[in-house]
Amino acid sequence: MTRPGLLFAGVAAVVFAAHLATDAATEPFFNNDETRHVMTGIFVRDALRDMPASAADPKGYAVRYYAQYPALGLLVWPPFFYAVEGAAMSVGGTSFVTARVVVSLFGLLAGWYAFRLSVRSHGPWLAAFAAGLLGFAPLVYEYARRVMLEVPTLAVALAAVFHFERYRDETRPRDAVLACLFAAFAALTRFDGVLLLPYFFLRVAVGRRWALLLRRPVVLGVALALALTVPYYLFTWQVYGGAITKAAGEGTYDGASTFLGAANLSYYPACVPGQIGWPAAVAAGVGLLATVVVPSRRAALGPAVALLVATYVTFTPMAELEPRHAIYWLPAVAVFAAEGVRWLSTGTGVKVGVAAALCVFGATAWGAVSRPMWWVSGYDDAARFVAERASGDRPVLMDGALNGSFIYHVRRADPARRLWVLRGDKLFYAMMSDPHASLTELTGTEAEVLAVIDRYDPEWIVVEQPHLIFDVRGAELLRDVLRGHPERFRLEGTVPLRSNHVRRFGDARLEAYHKLDRSAHPLHAVEVPVLGLGKTLRAER
């Protein structure tokens, strides 16, 4: 291995050791999206196992699978990560650990390409410093241990940027094709991948390198990228475009901004200290100042500047403002922090620069590892409690904010896939991730709740008590009905939810009710309203 490779391996080993030392056993729960990302990987794994039947009718297979396990991210997010995750689960099993390992490998890939980009402008030592800052940036450190899509998207986007920059400088045909291929992967991992369009435009516009676009490797690469992405994007826009437009223009949570809102302009710059820590943010500020003062460095820092600008112009207009959306400019922030150290070394000596680098790196690492890793457990116990007692010919009903974690564990506890899980927020009320985005109360009286229960005749009903995160009238009405009819619903088990996130979980628990009577004419199908699609999906059990 070359010296640069050894330097990166050393930095990666330090970051990996820190993750191991600060890791905490948890079930999928983070941001609630994590449960969908894990379950969609399992869906891909099961679809691969069920071939050729799943391939013969992919739409029918997907609808039936979603009706049985209504916790998938299909259409809400693009499919590339799920394809990789599902393939990994075909080998490593359906455990949460497998999914986390996949994200960790993407994190390693992101670090490697960030390092290679930094070597081009700062040499191996400062590149190792920048890669270490990126790995320990609190936002990256957190999301590298969660099954979320930000780190995988960051990895393939950085790969696209690296190969684009190398093609721009050296015009090797393979880099043109790889840049386009990785750009397609980014767009097929998360819609955030569109940030590469303004990035490529800016870098081609600098120096007026428009002739690059007419070269054969670029034309072939672009054609390949379009062939991979356009069919999916057209299909998604046709069936889910309204939900995407609503999220971008109005947000999906209480307190969201508006499209092109005035407050948006300063939001993401103000997030930088929280994303990477104050020491690295200050060092990056010094690096930015040095770039203004020393014109000879501007060309070398062009990719970092373009990544900052592309991230800003892509996400600032959106109504949904969250620090994680700007994770893609952190490699550039780390590069400017390295530039700040380089500039300080030039003016005061190498020893001062090294001391500054160690202080910034140490403070950044401490800021990441000292933050608690939130963990949750209890959904596994509740799922196994129900799976061990369920007959298999009647569904299980679950109502709770973290229904996806329960559904995931039911799938794990029932490898034969006999059990079907119904969601309370599809039967008694319906919402798009947050009641403030859209909420439809499907039941308003005790009689209506009982009618829905009798229609589906679930053998077991599991509820979070209290309902976490949101106060929804339909959820409270369901709990009142269960408690108010002990002759029909017997509380058989209570599983405490354990977490170090006391403010949210406190003394919360899962209550498992056994439905004692049988419905005379239960529906042997599942009907699931999907607000994002504007339709109801139906599948026979």
Side-chain angles (χ1 to χ4, degrees), residues 473-524:
R473 182 173 178 269
E476 291 306 313
L477 184 58
L478 169 63
R479 286 152 181 77
D480 290 342
V481 167
L482 295 175
R483 288 191 296 264
H485 290 272
E487 77 285 358
R488 297 193 62 187
F489 311 106
R490 184 168 62 208
L491 180 61
E492 297 277 8
T494 299
V495 178
L497 290 175
R498 300 173 293 278
S499 176
N500 58 343
H501 200 320
V502 178
R503 180 178 61 84
R504 170 162 291 182
F505 291 90
D507 60 351
R509 60 198 181 275
L510 295 172
E511 296 179 343
Y513 289 86
H514 188 205
K515 184 173 181 291
L516 302 177
D517 57 353
R518 293 297 305 269
S519 301
H521 303 288
L523 181 67
H524 293 288

Side-chain angles (χ1 to χ4, degrees), residues 276-284 337 359-361 363-364:
I276 201 169
W278 273 105
V282 171
C359 288
V360 172
F361 181 81
T364 303

Side-chain angles (χ1 to χ4, degrees), residues 303-334:
V305 172
L307 195 55
L308 286 177
V309 174
T311 302
Y312 182 81
V313 300
T314 299
F315 299 106
T316 293
M318 305 298 180
E320 188 170 286
L321 301 175
E322 293 186 46
R324 64 190 175 111
H325 294 325
I327 194 173
Y328 311 104
W329 70 12
L330 291 184
V333 175

